[in-house]
Amino acid sequence: MASTTLADLQTPSHPNPQATTTSARTQLPPINIGTRSSALAQIQARAVEQALKDAYPDRTFNICPVLAQGDKDKVTPLHQLSQGENAKSLWTGELEAMLEKGDLDIIVHCLKDMPTQLPENLTLGAILEREDPRDALIISPRLPKDTHLATLPPNSTIGTSSVRRAAQLRRIYPTLKFADLRGNVGTRLGKLDAEDSPYSAIILAAAGLKRMGLDNRIAQYLSSSNGGMLHAVGQGALAIEIRKGDEVAQELAYKIQDERTTRACSAERALLRALEGGCSVPIGVETSWRGGRGVATGFQPAKEYSSKNGQPLEEGEPDINEQDLVMEVLVVSVDGKESVGYNTARKVRSTEEAEIMGRDVAGILIDRGADKILEKISKEKMWAAKKQLEEYKASK
Ligand SMILES: NCc1[nH]cc(CCC(=O)O)c1CC(=O)O
């Protein structure tokens, strides 16, 4: 981790004319990179720092890990932590306050964890090349290594706190049971592996496991064609949040953004924004790029579809503007019994066109009855929240 101390900054530039790069470096103030403090978050922040260093060798960077409210308090019901007048997001609130004050210059987030509406004076500076966006099944060490969803013993308990993951799995594997599982990646794996663990398996994002070098634990990659599981909006992509109007930070961020991921995730987020009305929605998506000089469909390992700003296309790489953005969406009721899905593809020649595509898809899903599923879920959520709140008050 690189850090610039005050002493470095105060060192007078070297009289030796050959030391110009050093003196240029010390004259630019360091860029403070905010991140949550979990192991995964810090790995992600270091990857972004490295990309920025490669793009701007004359700049220095500081990584500033910050403990988020959601990381501190693991007891209070989640919905209650985010309650209140100016409810700041559980995972991003502290970091955003520091960014607004100027204590940070950029924040590295998992795009998946970012609300679709950001604070007024902050903005998404860039979305970076997507890692594998799929969910992954991790099996208990007590079960045979080749166990997958279809061969789990009936009535097995899956650890996940995600309504999206549970609802989609109930739809196809109605005998599975689900139990809450919170904590960062290491904690969740620890709870699965514990001697007295209630879980037969858990679901985690493949991206996080891959970044931590834990993908050897993955028993099955889940997708629409494998287990009928579509991932969360923005899953697998990192994002950089900056202050609106901060031209230095915007330039830094733009330099490392990935255009395909940006357009695909912008479509996904516009879809979610149009459907959510303030509460989280159990919606699964899959997006990919198709056509334009014969590129495969489906998830493409990042290298095969990378195209960074300002860099020429690699040989054989299709022009993004000649490709179709393919989008598959599924909204499922909590019990898995009702669902509305839609698949489509179109050319999107800008982020704005991608957002229009996302909103159009939301409209079609609503026409097909997704609104009824979502209304029911938001009612059930309110009842559950009320019940939890009463229990919480009674326990005090
Ligand atoms: N909800 C927490 C979270 N936010 C992002 C990731 C994974 C990494 C990513 O999607 O980029 C995870 C862990 C998980 O869902 O397993």
Side-chain angles (χ1 to χ4, degrees), residues 33-280:
I33 303 175
T35 173
R36 280 170 61 188
S37 51
S38 73
L40 174 59
Q42 294 203 45
I43 288 170
Q44 294 172 168
R46 278 200 294 274
V48 170
E49 180 194 36
Q50 191 55 57
L52 288 170
K53 271 184 184 163
D54 291 346
Y56 294 90
D58 286 342
R59 292 215 77 121
T60 54
F61 300 89
N62 268 329
I63 293 185
C64 315
V66 174
L67 202 60
Q69 179 68 26
D71 290 319
K72 272 182 231 169
D73 186 341
K74 303 215 162 79
V75 184
T76 312
L78 276 180
H79 66 87
Q80 199 179 326
L81 280 173
S82 55
Q83 264 184 2
E85 289 255 314
N86 271 321
K88 286 255 177 185
S89 165
L90 214 52
W91 310 110
T92 53
E94 283 87 352
L95 285 161
E96 284 176 337
M98 290 175 70
L99 181 61
E100 284 173 334
K101 269 201 297 182
D103 294 342
L104 299 173
D105 299 300
I106 67 173
I107 307 173
V108 178
H109 296 285
C110 287
L111 183 59
K112 181 169 91 161
D113 298 336
M114 293 187 79
T116 55
Q117 304 282 1
L118 301 180
E120 176 55 31
N121 46 348
L122 302 180
T123 188
L124 256 182
I127 300 175
L128 278 56
E129 190 174 291
R130 201 171 210 170
E131 175 51 279
D132 191 332
R134 292 173 293 181
D135 283 312
L137 182 77
I138 324 293
I139 297 286
S140 160
R142 293 176 298 282
L143 287 168
K145 272 203 165 59
D146 60 351
T147 308
H148 48 103
L149 280 175
T151 59
L152 275 169
N155 298 312
S156 289
T157 296
I158 308 283
T160 178
S161 297
S162 154
V163 181
R164 173 187 60 83
R165 286 169 176 158
Q168 290 193 81
L169 289 178
R170 278 192 192 102
R171 174 170 172 260
I172 300 192
Y173 304 96
T175 65
L176 291 178
K177 304 269 177 289
F178 295 88
D180 269 334
L181 175 64
R182 273 167 71 183
N184 58 37
V185 173
T187 309
R188 291 192 216 184
L189 288 171
K191 288 181 181 174
L192 170 68
D193 295 345
E195 206 67 44
D196 56 348
S197 171
Y199 314 111
S200 299
I202 65 175
I203 314 280
L204 290 171
L209 292 163
K210 287 188 171 182
R211 292 190 188 113
M212 294 183 79
L214 291 168
D215 42 328
N216 60 332
R217 291 292 316 257
I218 297 176
Q220 184 182 9
Y221 286 93
L222 308 177
S223 64
S224 70
S225 57
N226 195 341
M229 174 81 116
L230 279 68
H231 59 75
V233 162
Q235 189 158 310
L238 299 181
I240 294 181
E241 189 176 19
I242 61 171
R243 286 180 295 275
K244 260 184 203 160
D246 182 342
E247 283 169 24
V248 173
Q250 182 58 75
E251 190 196 310
L252 287 166
Y254 186 70
K255 189 80 173 219
I256 60 170
Q257 96 162 0
D258 179 73
E259 194 57 33
R260 280 188 176 74
T261 309
T262 300
R263 290 188 201 175
C265 289
S266 298
E268 293 174 15
R269 283 170 65 80
L271 162 81
L272 179 61
R273 196 177 293 125
L275 289 180
E276 71 189 343
C279 68
S280 65

Side-chain angles (χ1 to χ4, degrees), residues 221-378:
Y221 286 93
L222 308 177
S223 64
S224 70
S225 57
N226 195 341
M229 174 81 116
L230 279 68
H231 59 75
V233 162
Q235 189 158 310
L238 299 181
I240 294 181
E241 189 176 19
I242 61 171
R243 286 180 295 275
K244 260 184 203 160
D246 182 342
E247 283 169 24
V248 173
Q250 182 58 75
E251 190 196 310
L252 287 166
Y254 186 70
K255 189 80 173 219
I256 60 170
Q257 96 162 0
D258 179 73
E259 194 57 33
R260 280 188 176 74
T261 309
T262 300
R263 290 188 201 175
C265 289
S266 298
E268 293 174 15
R269 283 170 65 80
L271 162 81
L272 179 61
R273 196 177 293 125
L275 289 180
E276 71 189 343
C279 68
S280 65
V281 171
I283 178 170
V285 297
E286 254 177 43
T287 49
S288 59
W289 292 90
R290 184 176 67 192
R293 286 196 273 152
V295 152
T297 58
F299 169 68
Q300 298 144 32
K303 287 232 157 31
E304 287 173 31
Y305 71 121
S306 128
S307 134
K308 297 211 180 57
N309 293 305
Q311 288 177 19
L313 290 176
E314 282 162 33
E315 212 195 325
E317 188 180 6
D319 179 346
I320 184 174
N321 292 322
E322 282 165 22
Q323 290 191 288
D324 285 319
L325 177 58
V326 183
M327 191 166 203
E328 180 170 355
V329 188
L330 190 68
V331 177
V332 189
S333 65
V334 175
D335 63 11
K337 288 184 181 152
E338 293 160 78
S339 63
V340 176
Y342 185 63
N343 298 348
T344 189
R346 73 163 78 152
K347 289 191 171 57
V348 292
R349 295 198 167 83
S350 63
T351 300
E352 290 68 34
E353 284 188 21
E355 288 176 342
I356 292 167
M357 177 175 178
R359 286 199 294 273
D360 287 350
V361 170
I364 292 163
L365 286 165
I366 288 168
D367 287 345
R368 295 185 169 197
D371 53 341
K372 288 184 195 65
I373 295 177
L374 296 175
E375 263 165 38
K376 206 168 133 198
I377 289 167
S378 90

